[in-house]
Short mmCIF file of all heavy atoms in Angstrom, two decimals:
data_model
loop_
_atom_site.label_atom_id
_atom_site.label_comp_id
_atom_site.label_asym_id
_atom_site.label_seq_id
_atom_site.Cartn_x
_atom_site.Cartn_y
_atom_site.Cartn_z
N ILE A 627 15.18 -10.24 12.33
CA ILE A 627 13.91 -9.62 12.66
C ILE A 627 14.17 -8.16 13.02
O ILE A 627 15.17 -7.84 13.68
CB ILE A 627 13.20 -10.38 13.82
CG1 ILE A 627 11.80 -9.84 14.07
CG2 ILE A 627 14.03 -10.40 15.08
CD1 ILE A 627 10.98 -10.75 14.99
N PHE A 628 13.30 -7.28 12.55
CA PHE A 628 13.43 -5.85 12.80
C PHE A 628 12.28 -5.43 13.71
O PHE A 628 11.11 -5.69 13.41
CB PHE A 628 13.37 -5.08 11.49
CG PHE A 628 14.39 -5.53 10.48
CD1 PHE A 628 14.10 -6.54 9.57
CD2 PHE A 628 15.65 -4.94 10.43
CE1 PHE A 628 15.04 -6.97 8.65
CE2 PHE A 628 16.60 -5.35 9.50
CZ PHE A 628 16.29 -6.38 8.61
N GLY A 629 12.62 -4.79 14.84
CA GLY A 629 11.53 -4.47 15.75
C GLY A 629 11.88 -3.45 16.80
O GLY A 629 13.01 -2.94 16.88
N LEU A 630 10.87 -3.16 17.64
CA LEU A 630 10.99 -2.19 18.72
C LEU A 630 10.11 -2.68 19.86
O LEU A 630 8.92 -2.93 19.67
CB LEU A 630 10.52 -0.81 18.24
CG LEU A 630 10.76 0.39 19.15
CD1 LEU A 630 12.26 0.71 19.23
CD2 LEU A 630 10.02 1.62 18.62
N PRO A 631 10.68 -2.85 21.09
CA PRO A 631 9.90 -3.44 22.18
C PRO A 631 8.90 -2.48 22.80
O PRO A 631 8.98 -1.26 22.64
CB PRO A 631 10.98 -3.85 23.18
CG PRO A 631 12.11 -2.90 22.94
CD PRO A 631 12.08 -2.61 21.46
N GLY A 632 7.98 -3.07 23.51
CA GLY A 632 6.98 -2.33 24.28
C GLY A 632 6.28 -3.30 25.21
O GLY A 632 6.53 -4.51 25.17
N GLY A 633 5.39 -2.79 26.04
CA GLY A 633 4.81 -3.59 27.11
C GLY A 633 4.19 -4.89 26.67
O GLY A 633 4.41 -5.95 27.27
N ALA A 634 3.40 -4.86 25.60
CA ALA A 634 2.65 -6.06 25.21
C ALA A 634 3.54 -7.15 24.65
O ALA A 634 3.14 -8.32 24.61
CB ALA A 634 1.58 -5.69 24.18
N VAL A 635 4.75 -6.80 24.18
CA VAL A 635 5.64 -7.83 23.62
C VAL A 635 6.87 -8.08 24.49
O VAL A 635 7.80 -8.77 24.06
CB VAL A 635 6.08 -7.47 22.18
CG1 VAL A 635 4.96 -7.68 21.19
CG2 VAL A 635 6.64 -6.07 22.11
N LEU A 636 6.88 -7.57 25.71
CA LEU A 636 8.04 -7.82 26.57
C LEU A 636 8.28 -9.31 26.81
O LEU A 636 9.44 -9.75 26.85
CB LEU A 636 7.88 -7.08 27.89
CG LEU A 636 8.25 -5.59 27.86
CD1 LEU A 636 8.07 -4.97 29.23
CD2 LEU A 636 9.67 -5.39 27.36
N PRO A 637 7.26 -10.15 26.96
CA PRO A 637 7.54 -11.58 27.10
C PRO A 637 8.27 -12.15 25.88
O PRO A 637 9.14 -13.02 26.03
CB PRO A 637 6.15 -12.21 27.25
CG PRO A 637 5.29 -11.10 27.79
CD PRO A 637 5.81 -9.85 27.14
N LEU A 638 7.93 -11.66 24.71
CA LEU A 638 8.60 -12.14 23.50
C LEU A 638 10.05 -11.64 23.45
O LEU A 638 10.96 -12.40 23.08
CB LEU A 638 7.83 -11.68 22.27
CG LEU A 638 8.38 -12.11 20.91
CD1 LEU A 638 8.61 -13.62 20.84
CD2 LEU A 638 7.42 -11.67 19.80
N TYR A 639 10.26 -10.41 23.86
CA TYR A 639 11.63 -9.90 23.89
C TYR A 639 12.47 -10.62 24.94
O TYR A 639 13.67 -10.84 24.76
CB TYR A 639 11.64 -8.38 24.11
CG TYR A 639 11.55 -7.63 22.80
CD1 TYR A 639 10.31 -7.34 22.24
CD2 TYR A 639 12.69 -7.26 22.11
CE1 TYR A 639 10.22 -6.68 21.02
CE2 TYR A 639 12.62 -6.60 20.89
CZ TYR A 639 11.37 -6.31 20.35
OH TYR A 639 11.30 -5.68 19.14
N ASP A 640 11.85 -11.04 26.01
CA ASP A 640 12.57 -11.82 27.01
C ASP A 640 12.98 -13.18 26.44
O ASP A 640 14.08 -13.67 26.69
CB ASP A 640 11.69 -12.01 28.25
CG ASP A 640 12.49 -12.53 29.44
OD1 ASP A 640 13.49 -11.90 29.81
OD2 ASP A 640 12.12 -13.59 29.98
N ALA A 641 12.11 -13.75 25.60
CA ALA A 641 12.45 -15.02 24.96
C ALA A 641 13.57 -14.83 23.93
O ALA A 641 14.45 -15.68 23.79
CB ALA A 641 11.21 -15.61 24.29
N LEU A 642 13.56 -13.69 23.22
CA LEU A 642 14.60 -13.41 22.25
C LEU A 642 15.96 -13.23 22.92
O LEU A 642 17.00 -13.49 22.30
CB LEU A 642 14.26 -12.15 21.45
CG LEU A 642 13.15 -12.27 20.40
CD1 LEU A 642 12.78 -10.89 19.87
CD2 LEU A 642 13.58 -13.17 19.25
N TYR A 643 15.96 -12.78 24.15
CA TYR A 643 17.21 -12.49 24.87
C TYR A 643 18.12 -13.72 24.92
O TYR A 643 19.34 -13.61 24.84
CB TYR A 643 16.87 -12.02 26.28
CG TYR A 643 18.06 -11.58 27.11
CD1 TYR A 643 18.61 -10.32 26.93
CD2 TYR A 643 18.61 -12.43 28.08
CE1 TYR A 643 19.70 -9.91 27.70
CE2 TYR A 643 19.70 -12.02 28.85
CZ TYR A 643 20.24 -10.76 28.65
OH TYR A 643 21.31 -10.35 29.40
N ALA A 644 17.51 -14.88 25.03
CA ALA A 644 18.29 -16.11 25.16
C ALA A 644 18.46 -16.84 23.83
O ALA A 644 18.97 -17.97 23.81
CB ALA A 644 17.59 -17.04 26.16
N ARG A 645 18.05 -16.21 22.72
CA ARG A 645 18.12 -16.90 21.43
C ARG A 645 18.85 -16.03 20.42
O ARG A 645 18.26 -15.48 19.48
CB ARG A 645 16.70 -17.20 20.93
CG ARG A 645 15.85 -17.99 21.91
CD ARG A 645 16.43 -19.36 22.25
NE ARG A 645 16.40 -20.26 21.13
CZ ARG A 645 15.34 -21.02 20.84
NH1 ARG A 645 14.24 -20.97 21.58
NH2 ARG A 645 15.39 -21.84 19.81
N PRO A 646 20.17 -15.87 20.54
CA PRO A 646 20.92 -15.00 19.64
C PRO A 646 20.95 -15.49 18.20
O PRO A 646 21.30 -14.73 17.30
CB PRO A 646 22.33 -15.01 20.25
CG PRO A 646 22.41 -16.29 21.01
CD PRO A 646 21.03 -16.53 21.54
N GLU A 647 20.58 -16.76 17.97
CA GLU A 647 20.58 -17.25 16.59
C GLU A 647 19.51 -16.56 15.74
O GLU A 647 19.57 -16.61 14.51
CB GLU A 647 20.38 -18.77 16.56
CG GLU A 647 19.08 -19.28 17.15
CD GLU A 647 19.18 -19.64 18.62
OE1 GLU A 647 19.84 -18.89 19.37
OE2 GLU A 647 18.59 -20.66 19.01
N LEU A 648 18.51 -15.95 16.37
CA LEU A 648 17.54 -15.12 15.66
C LEU A 648 17.94 -13.67 15.93
O LEU A 648 17.62 -13.11 16.98
CB LEU A 648 16.12 -15.40 16.15
CG LEU A 648 14.99 -14.60 15.48
CD1 LEU A 648 14.99 -14.81 13.97
CD2 LEU A 648 13.64 -14.98 16.06
#
Side-chain angles (χ1 to χ4, degrees):
I627 186 168
F628 304 90
L630 189 69
V635 286
L636 280 181
L638 181 53
Y639 272 87
D640 193 55
L642 287 170
Y643 185 80
R645 305 299 292 274
E647 61 268 41
L648 181 57

